[in-house]
Amino acid sequence: MSTKRRREPPSTDSRLIEIYEDLANEKEDIRLKAAESLLSIHAYENEPSSEQLYKALKRLLRGLCSGRKAARLGFSVALTELLVQLLGPDKEHVVGFDLTIVGLIRLLEEQTRVTGNVSGQENRDHNFGRLFGAEAILKSRVLLQTNASPENWSHLLDIIYDLAKKKSWLREECGWVLYNAIQYLVDENVHSNYAQMLIDKLYASGLMKTPEGIAIWLSIQVAHERVNLPKGVWHHDDPLSQKEKTNVAKILKEASTAPGLQGGMGMAAQKGTWSSKLHFSWDVVMTILLSPPISSPGVIFKRVTFQDFWLEAVDNSLFAASSSDERKYWGFLLFQRYFQQVSEDVLPILFSRNLLRCLINQLSAQNRYLHRIAEKTIKVIHSRVEKKPQIAAVVVLALIGSNGQINFDVQTKTKTIEKLLAYVQPNALSKIIIPFLDNLIVRPQVQDQKIASIRRQQVADHLVSVVRSVSIVKGAGTSRYDDAVLEILSSFVKFAYFDLVTREGYQNGREPHAANTLNDLPEPMITDDSRQMFSSRINSCLTHLSRADPAYYAYNVVRTIQHYEMDQGIRPYLQVDDAVQHRIRQAWRVLDKVHTKQQSAPAARKNYLAAFKMLYSITILQVYNSDTEAVGLLDELKQCYDSLIKHKIKGGQDEGSEVLIEILLSLVSRPSLLFRRLAQQVFSACTSIVNANGLQSMFKVLETRESLAGRGEIFDQADEKPSDIGIADMEELDLVDGDDNASNSDNTEMIEDSASMGTENDCDSTDDELAAFDIKLAQALGTRRADQDFDADSESMSTDEDMDDEQMEALDVHLEAMFKERQKLRSKKDEKKDAKETIINFKCRVLELLEIYIQQQHGGTLALHILLPSLSLIQSTTSKQVRDRACDLVRLYSRQAKALPKSEDSRNLSFSLLSEIHLRVTEGPSSAYVSACSQASILLAKLLAAQDMGHLRNVVDTYAETHKRLLYAPKSPVKISFFLDWLNWSTSVSNNANGLRR
């Protein structure tokens, strides 16, 4: 029986093959591990032979000429460490290994020499290999040992300079190797002769005025003060001299050779290919310019500043209008790099005019060549601002200032400014951003009135963005941001409501508000459209702040109006008669009283008074917005104040609550998000005083027909909209989609007969109108429709050729009259559509108020009255959105209500409603309606059972009667789900009752 052959250990050659293979691996950790293994094999303690060492050096040098994977990186690291091990200060003598520095350089030249007729790629690989080999020798520092000859240093420099001159595409890499060599000289504290040789050979090679030459010169100038720099190359022997900034900018841009410059003072030829990487010399120059100036014999004091150099070399060079996209790409890379490095005081310098112009242009369209790098630039800006919010104000001013565009977000189709404003600190808002924007409103820096109005609107939008970011991101109402928000609102008030030309405010010697100085008159003057725009921005701000403390901000807006008008005597644009002025003054006095009462009121009453304060403030504001209905609302609010707060009218609480409901309904009837939130918050604070008449006013809205006639009924007008919505209300529209065509599952599987008939009638009437118009048009033109008889007697038809001029003119008049009539029909149709959308929107807002009432008053008997109007609305509405909201209201009530007061009134009302619901359930065919009836019925059963379990017997009888009607009327629309819901609920109640008895 044969034994299993033992595996032989791998030979040294096969192991070396694996190591050399791993040295070319693309993963750095594998390359480093392979380099360690190679050094370990050739370590002194492993007693390598001289032949093995020579073979390893040759193999590493040849490997540098390979373009495979990451061979040059791995082999250069291994070569550097092996040279330190073999020729460094801690080297060990190996018998037969007598390699010297001279021999090493000769070996480098032999192993990287191109012989024979080779391809261009192979020639390129050998040149790269020679450069990487020279770099490895420099990194090993064997040339800088005390026993090393300077001639070896000189020889290696010649190799590198020859590569830089012969191969322009290698010049940058050669310069990088020489630049790092200067640092090696500093680290090893070598004699300055080495640096002198480096700069002398640079001059002799004609590479002084190249990006590499500038980097090497500046590095030696800083690190080796004893080196004698060549004379006559730069003004004051400094590339960064003020007089050299233009030349240096051209060199860094890699411009063509300047005519008339030769030898060491000439510019080297431009590189053959463009690189997407920045040249390392940019970092050298920028680092020196950003560093504090030092006093040194080798450094000229009259050096160009960073700002001057950035404008010359970057803004006027890389971002010049004639500059190529490749150069602009470098400019964006420079901005990204130094935006993340420079201090806050240097940041504005980076946002130069041409750079921002190019950034805006590239961001404005996705098909621009530099769109992606421009987007990355914006991301870099956001990234640093997020990490350091203190610079947000500086960045915002730079983007919208004189070099940027006030409408930066609009031009770039981004939300850059809006997002950056969210990070601006409170002090910066009050001291930098708001005064800057306020000054732009006063002085838009244009004389054209139309352009000035556009710029003012853009500035106002930025201020609204500040308020929006404060209220959402920072949390409005905090002490840190209150001042900034109030300053913005005060600025809007000043420009929206007051005549800044009349200087009456200074006759009494009083100074204006510190944050809103009136020393400068607007130029050009603010137009009426701009004033309306500012008032709309006030509404926008209050809308966004309504989630925090709306009463606080609304009250401060009104107080600011009073301050300007009463304290400073500035004339408002609103000119009213004495009677209206008296009402406004009275409203201010009442508002101050409510504010005073709120400050000292107990916690339970504060919200109630805050609601009145907010309502009064918004109403006064609407008076200054020239809202004709607002003056009448002031009288109604005074009546509410006397009866509900002051209790001046005996027994007038019911009347006051009814008036309050009417006021809230007038607010929610408008398509304004501000009024909607205002009404909800006021109603939420006053649900406890709502009576049956108040609810009935709300039910009246739900019963209104969704048509033009219905709108006329509810708003007491036949042909007008509910109210004139000015620009102040258009900023925050809150409309409901009244699309009737959307249908979904059970909720709309059967549309009510009345709705269907109404829709069909509308379609029929529209078709009839179109047909009648076609007939009239055909009669006028003497033509026929394409689908009519083509064989009709054509002689009876008139043509253009049969008509004379008088007949043509008569026909034109006739056609004009017909088309005007057609336009009236279209206008009528649009008016019907608008009326329907208005009523649908109104109903949805009322349903929201009823939801609030259910949430807070679901335990009261009065809430039961909501059921029948809600069910009727589900059955009658033609809007799916209204129907869904009404179903949600019934569902909410069913979920919230647990019990009612144990009284005969509540019991009788519950039974009455239950009977009515069971009668109505047979009237509606849709699943949504039957489901809502089922929920309402079970809700009443639950409330009756909570009073007395014996009441369920009557409930069972009611369901039985309904079941009988279903049995004897097979075509009854009542669905089986109505009884299944009852069966499930009653079973659960029975099980719970049995468990309690056990």
Side-chain angles (χ1 to χ4, degrees):
M1 184 175 179
S2 61
T3 59
K4 186 176 181 180
R5 184 179 179 183
R6 298 180 61 186
R7 178 178 296 179
E8 297 180 0
S11 64
T12 305
D13 290 341
S14 62
R15 188 180 177 191
L16 284 174
I17 292 174
E18 294 179 0
I19 290 175
Y20 288 129
E21 181 68 24
D22 288 343
L23 283 176
N25 197 287
E26 294 179 347
K27 295 183 178 180
E28 184 179 8
D29 55 341
I30 296 178
R31 296 199 304 267
L32 294 177
K33 187 176 181 180
E36 291 177 2
S37 300
L38 183 67
L39 294 175
S40 177
I41 290 176
H42 297 91
Y44 179 77
E45 54 269 18
N46 290 330
E47 299 180 355
S49 64
S50 60
E51 182 182 358
Q52 290 176 324
L53 295 178
Y54 276 112
K55 186 177 180 180
L57 286 174
K58 292 179 180 180
R59 180 69 183 86
L60 291 174
L61 289 171
R62 288 198 305 271
L64 295 176
C65 300
S66 173
R68 182 173 59 92
K69 298 181 181 179
R72 291 194 183 97
L73 296 178
F75 279 74
S76 64
V77 171
L79 178 61
T80 300
E81 297 303 323
L82 186 60
L83 290 178
V84 173
Q85 186 172 296
L86 298 178
L87 301 177
D90 299 330
K91 64 181 179 180
E92 298 286 347
H93 179 68
V94 178
V95 177
F97 184 76
D98 54 356
L99 181 67
T100 61
I101 303 298
V102 176
L104 174 64
I105 298 176
R106 188 183 302 113
L107 185 63
L108 169 65
E109 292 177 317
E110 291 175 355
Q111 297 300 319
T112 58
R113 182 179 294 116
V114 179
T115 57
N117 187 16
V118 298
S119 64
Q121 181 60 44
E122 188 174 352
N123 187 17
R124 180 185 179 91
D125 289 339
H126 278 75
N127 286 320
F128 265 117
R130 177 168 292 191
L131 179 61
F132 271 80
E135 183 182 24
I137 295 174
L138 288 174
K139 284 183 177 180
S140 66
R141 317 289 175 95
V142 295
L143 292 179
L144 306 180
Q145 299 179 85
T146 55
N147 57 350
S149 172
E151 294 180 358
N152 298 328
W153 170 261
S154 177
H155 189 184
L156 193 65
L157 290 180
D158 289 337
I159 293 175
I160 298 174
Y161 279 120
D162 286 342
L163 287 174
K165 288 189 295 182
K166 290 193 301 183
K167 306 296 179 183
S168 60
W169 42 268
L170 264 179
R171 196 178 71 205
E172 182 178 350
E173 286 73 14
C174 293
W176 175 249
V177 171
L178 294 172
Y179 174 76
N180 288 328
I182 297 172
Q183 188 60 44
Y184 303 154
L185 297 178
V186 175
D187 296 341
E188 299 296 328
N189 195 20
V190 181
H191 195 275
S192 60
N193 289 340
Y194 282 76
Q196 188 68 55
M197 279 191 281
L198 195 153
I199 194 69
D200 289 343
K201 290 181 180 295
L202 176 68
Y203 181 79
S205 64
L207 298 176
M208 274 294 185
K209 293 198 172 182
T210 62
E212 299 77 20
I214 293 174
I216 293 172
W217 180 294
L218 292 175
S219 181
I220 290 179
Q221 187 181 53
V222 173
H224 299 278
E225 298 178 359
R226 297 181 181 179
V227 172
N228 295 320
L229 296 171
K231 301 295 183 181
V233 180
W234 307 102
H235 282 84
H236 305 296
D237 296 333
D238 187 4
L240 299 182
S241 171
Q242 183 71 28
K243 294 184 178 181
E244 293 288 355
K245 65 179 181 180
T246 303
N247 290 332
V248 172
K250 291 180 179 179
I251 293 171
L252 293 180
K253 188 182 178 181
E254 295 191 324
S256 302
T257 305
L261 297 177
Q262 299 178 0
M265 298 172 60
M267 296 183 183
Q270 185 179 0
K271 286 168 49 174
T273 58
W274 175 79
S275 173
S276 60
K277 298 188 307 179
L278 278 175
H279 198 285
F280 74 91
S281 57
W282 282 103
D283 278 338
V284 177
V285 173
M286 295 296 187
T287 301
I288 292 176
L289 291 178
L290 288 171
S291 302
I294 56 175
S295 177
S296 172
V299 179
I300 304 302
F301 291 106
K302 196 175 181 181
R303 174 171 279 177
V304 65
T305 62
F306 177 80
Q307 180 175 3
D308 290 342
F309 186 79
W310 181 269
L311 292 176
E312 183 67 33
V314 179
D315 200 55
N316 296 331
S317 181
L318 298 182
F319 284 106
S322 59
S323 186
S324 65
D325 290 329
E326 290 80 8
R327 298 297 182 264
K328 293 174 181 177
Y329 185 91
W330 280 353
F332 282 127
L333 291 181
L334 282 169
F335 178 87
Q336 293 173 16
R337 178 174 299 179
Y338 293 102
F339 180 82
Q340 301 177 75
Q341 298 179 9
V342 300
S343 58
E344 183 178 350
D345 58 322
V346 181
L347 277 178
I349 298 175
L350 301 183
F351 294 89
S352 48
R353 182 179 298 275
N354 291 334
L355 185 150
L356 285 177
R357 174 182 53 80
C358 182
L359 178 65
I360 293 172
N361 289 339
Q362 298 299 326
L363 285 172
S364 60
Q366 293 186 356
N367 59 353
R368 302 287 170 87
Y369 290 121
L370 301 178
H371 181 76
R372 293 180 63 183
I373 188 67
E375 283 186 327
K376 186 177 180 182
T377 302
I378 294 298
K379 291 179 181 178
V380 169
I381 293 175
H382 281 300
S383 177
R384 189 180 180 190
V385 171
E386 289 176 4
K387 296 176 183 176
K388 193 174 182 181
Q390 295 83 357
I391 68 171
V394 176
V395 175
V396 169
L397 287 186
L399 292 176
I400 65 176
S402 57
N403 290 341
Q405 290 288 338
I406 188 64
N407 60 338
F408 185 90
D409 284 355
V410 177
Q411 295 251 3
T412 60
K413 301 180 178 66
T414 64
K415 294 184 178 180
T416 303
I417 304 300
E418 182 178 343
K419 292 178 180 178
L420 292 176
L421 286 172
Y423 294 96
V424 180
Q425 301 298 295
N427 291 338
L429 279 176
S430 299
K431 296 180 180 179
I432 302 176
I433 299 297
I434 296 176
F436 173 79
L437 295 176
D438 195 76
N439 185 63
L440 281 180
I441 295 176
V442 177
R443 294 283 191 274
Q445 300 174 353
V446 290
Q447 294 301 320
D448 186 86
Q449 190 71 259
K450 185 175 181 180
I451 299 178
S453 298
I454 293 174
R455 288 196 177 182
R456 282 166 174 157
Q457 180 175 345
Q458 293 164 351
V459 173
D461 290 339
H462 285 315
L463 291 171
V464 173
S465 295
V466 172
V467 176
R468 184 182 293 113
S469 64
V470 167
S471 62
I472 297 176
V473 179
K474 306 298 182 181
T478 62
S479 57
R480 297 179 61 205
Y481 288 91
D482 271 354
D483 292 340
V485 172
L486 294 179
E487 286 175 14
I488 293 173
L489 293 173
S490 178
S491 179
F492 284 156
V493 166
K494 174 178 62 178
F495 297 118
Y497 301 124
F498 291 94
D499 180 9
L500 303 182
V501 178
T502 305
R503 310 300 289 178
E504 298 173 0
Y506 296 102
Q507 294 177 359
N508 52 14
R510 296 178 181 177
E511 290 296 328
H513 193 276
N516 298 280
T517 58
L518 300 177
N519 294 326
D520 295 328
L521 294 177
E523 185 180 341
M525 297 308 300
I526 297 176
T527 63
D528 291 340
D529 290 341
S530 293
R531 284 193 292 273
Q532 290 181 341
M533 179 271 299
F534 285 122
S535 65
S536 73
R537 296 310 183 265
I538 294 175
N539 281 8
S540 297
C541 293
L542 294 178
T543 301
H544 291 294
L545 294 168
S546 62
R547 298 176 182 175
D549 189 355
Y552 170 75
Y553 293 107
Y555 175 73
N556 275 276
V557 168
V558 176
R559 287 293 301 165
T560 303
I561 295 175
Q562 187 179 21
H563 167 72
Y564 282 133
E565 183 175 352
M566 302 298 294
D567 299 343
Q568 294 192 5
I570 304 175
R571 184 170 64 88
Y573 276 105
L574 179 69
Q575 298 299 314
V576 294
D577 55 29
D578 294 340
V580 175
Q581 190 66 38
H582 172 73
R583 295 180 187 178
I584 296 175
R585 297 288 185 269
Q586 184 184 55
W588 273 341
R589 290 192 295 271
V590 173
L591 179 60
D592 289 337
K593 292 178 182 178
V594 174
H595 176 70
T596 304
K597 290 177 180 293
Q598 184 199 10
Q599 301 301 314
S600 58
R605 191 170 169 78
K606 276 186 179 293
N607 291 338
Y608 185 69
L609 293 171
F612 263 92
K613 183 172 76 172
M614 178 171 54
L615 191 56
Y616 248 112
S617 300
I618 295 297
T619 305
I620 294 175
L621 188 62
Q622 292 310 306
V623 172
Y624 279 87
N625 285 333
S626 302
D627 188 339
T628 55
E629 294 184 2
V631 177
L633 288 180
L634 289 179
D635 296 335
E636 295 177 0
L637 282 175
K638 180 63 167 61
Q639 181 181 352
C640 293
Y641 171 77
D642 291 338
S643 59
L644 299 178
I645 296 179
K646 197 175 181 182
H647 302 292
K648 185 177 181 181
I649 302 176
K650 185 177 181 181
Q653 181 168 347
D654 289 341
E655 182 180 354
S657 67
E658 295 168 14
V659 173
L660 179 61
I661 294 299
E662 293 294 339
I663 293 174
L664 297 182
L665 289 177
S666 69
L667 292 177
V668 297
S669 67
R670 305 186 182 193
S672 169
L673 183 57
L674 174 62
F675 292 159
R676 172 189 173 188
R677 291 182 178 174
L678 168 65
Q680 289 177 355
Q681 294 182 12
V682 173
F683 186 76
S684 178
C686 303
T687 54
S688 59
I689 64 172
V690 176
N691 58 16
N693 291 334
L695 287 179
Q696 191 60 41
S697 299
M698 303 171 76
F699 299 156
K700 181 181 178 182
V701 177
L702 302 182
E703 296 168 358
T704 305
R705 290 175 295 172
E706 296 165 2
S707 62
L708 185 62
R711 190 183 69 180
E713 292 173 4
I714 198 168
F715 295 110
D716 295 329
Q717 53 187 13
D719 300 317
E720 297 180 4
K721 293 187 179 181
S723 61
D724 294 332
I725 305 299
I727 295 179
D729 297 325
M730 295 301 293
E731 177 66 20
E732 294 292 338
L733 289 181
D734 183 46
L735 295 173
V736 176
D737 184 10
D739 188 5
D740 303 330
N741 297 325
S743 59
N744 197 356
S745 68
D746 295 337
N747 289 338
T748 56
E749 67 180 27
M750 293 183 67
I751 305 299
E752 290 76 9
D753 293 337
S754 60
S756 300
M757 292 177 61
T759 304
E760 292 173 1
N761 291 336
D762 290 341
C763 295
D764 293 341
S765 61
T766 302
D767 293 338
D768 293 341
E769 292 170 1
L770 289 174
F773 178 75
D774 289 341
I775 293 173
K776 291 181 180 180
L777 185 61
Q779 291 174 350
L781 297 176
T783 61
R784 295 178 184 270
R785 281 172 39 182
D787 58 351
Q788 291 181 348
D789 185 11
F790 286 99
D791 297 329
D793 187 7
S794 60
E795 294 181 0
S796 62
M797 300 180 184
S798 61
T799 61
D800 291 345
E801 296 178 358
D802 299 329
M803 295 184 182
D804 55 20
D805 292 342
E806 293 181 359
Q807 290 175 327
M808 289 291 291
E809 291 179 1
L811 179 62
D812 289 342
V813 173
H814 188 47
L815 290 176
E816 182 179 358
M818 289 178 58
F819 279 106
K820 285 183 178 180
E821 183 180 355
R822 176 60 179 161
Q823 187 62 37
K824 290 180 180 179
L825 292 176
R826 287 186 178 180
S827 301
K828 193 70 174 179
K829 182 179 178 181
D830 292 339
E831 188 176 5
K832 291 179 180 179
K833 182 180 178 181
D834 292 342
K836 182 177 181 179
E837 291 178 352
T838 299
I839 297 300
I840 289 174
N841 180 70
F842 197 5
K843 287 183 178 182
C844 287
R845 302 291 82 84
V846 171
L847 288 172
E848 289 176 353
L849 296 181
L850 291 176
E851 288 178 4
I852 295 173
Y853 185 84
I854 290 296
Q855 290 172 350
Q856 299 187 5
Q857 304 295 328
H858 54 79
T861 306
L862 193 59
L864 290 173
H865 292 282
I866 295 177
L867 289 175
L868 291 182
S870 300
L871 296 176
S872 298
L873 180 62
I874 296 172
Q875 184 181 13
S876 62
T877 184
T878 60
S879 169
K880 180 181 181 299
Q881 190 162 5
V882 174
R883 181 166 46 252
D884 290 344
R885 284 184 177 272
C887 291
D888 292 339
L889 179 63
V890 176
R891 190 178 301 111
L892 174 66
Y893 192 9
S894 178
R895 187 171 58 250
Q896 294 277 351
K898 304 299 180 184
L900 289 174
K902 292 184 179 182
S903 65
E904 185 176 354
D905 291 340
S906 64
R907 179 178 61 82
N908 293 337
L909 179 59
S910 298
F911 276 119
S912 175
L913 291 174
L914 182 65
S915 300
E916 183 66 23
I917 290 172
H918 277 252
L919 289 175
R920 291 190 178 192
V921 73
T922 61
E923 300 174 359
S926 70
S927 297
Y929 179 72
V930 174
S931 177
C933 288
S934 177
Q935 292 174 359
S937 179
I938 294 175
L939 166 65
L940 293 170
K942 179 175 63 174
L943 296 176
L944 288 169
Q947 289 185 343
D948 187 350
M949 289 295 291
H951 291 160
L952 287 182
R953 298 179 184 273
N954 296 331
V955 176
V956 172
D957 293 340
T958 304
Y959 270 93
E961 289 296 327
T962 306
H963 198 189
K964 288 179 183 179
R965 289 197 299 272
L966 176 62
L967 288 175
Y968 291 104
K971 295 184 179 181
S972 174
V974 179
K975 297 182 180 298
I976 193 65
S977 61
F978 183 79
F979 299 99
L980 289 177
D981 292 342
W982 158 252
L983 184 61
N984 292 331
W985 180 82
S986 60
T987 302
S988 64
V989 171
S990 177
N991 293 335
N992 292 334
N994 292 334
L996 290 174
R997 283 194 291 270
R998 286 196 297 268

